[in-house]
Amino acid sequence: MKYDNRFAPPAPMVSCVFRRLQPSEAVAQASGLLDTGADISVVPQAVVERLGLVPYRHLEAQGYDGTVADYLTYLVNVELPDGAISDLEVIALPCADAIIGRDALNHFHHIGWTCVRVRDVAH
């Protein structure tokens, strides 16, 4: 993880690799902003086009500015530095960076300074 100085204050960013659910050689990479205020993750529209993703469903969502809009969602597999998530439902926006929201972050559990997959933690 690194902090990106394009944001004020600097924001935590990770490298992301996106793949289709179906076996394919196609991959798309993007930087991802870790955003605990986002309920659902966002991928750049270019990721959808590169991977040839097909819409999954319609979802009404409210942006940070309070605007409510209808979005198409897509299912992707995403690889983050601390693990991979299968079948993540995301929306696409015309942006350069992905937004890794709580829907993705909740797949991980932070213990001390180590991040592990939730399913790997004994209850």
Side-chain angles (χ1 to χ4, degrees), residues 76-111:
V76 296
N77 294 334
V78 60
E79 297 170 16
L80 301 171
D82 289 318
I85 303 167
S86 299
D87 302 340
L88 183 66
E89 186 176 10
V90 299
I91 61 174
L93 293 175
C95 54
D97 298 318
I99 298 172
I100 307 302
R102 286 192 315 273
D103 58 332
L105 296 173
N106 285 339
H107 285 264
F108 301 93
H109 182 73
H110 191 270
I111 301 173

Side-chain angles (χ1 to χ4, degrees), residues 1 11-14 32-37 80 98-101 105:
M1 180 176 65
M13 302 287 285
V14 295
L33 170 69
L34 299 181
D35 187 351
T36 60
L80 301 171
I99 298 172
I100 307 302
L105 296 173

Side-chain angles (χ1 to χ4, degrees), residues 41-66:
S41 295
V42 175
V43 298
Q45 184 64 40
V47 168
V48 171
E49 294 164 6
R50 168 126 171 90
L51 298 179
L53 299 178
V54 295
Y56 177 63
R57 68 179 177 125
H58 286 269
L59 176 73
E60 188 175 88
Q62 182 174 342
Y64 67 90
D65 63 355

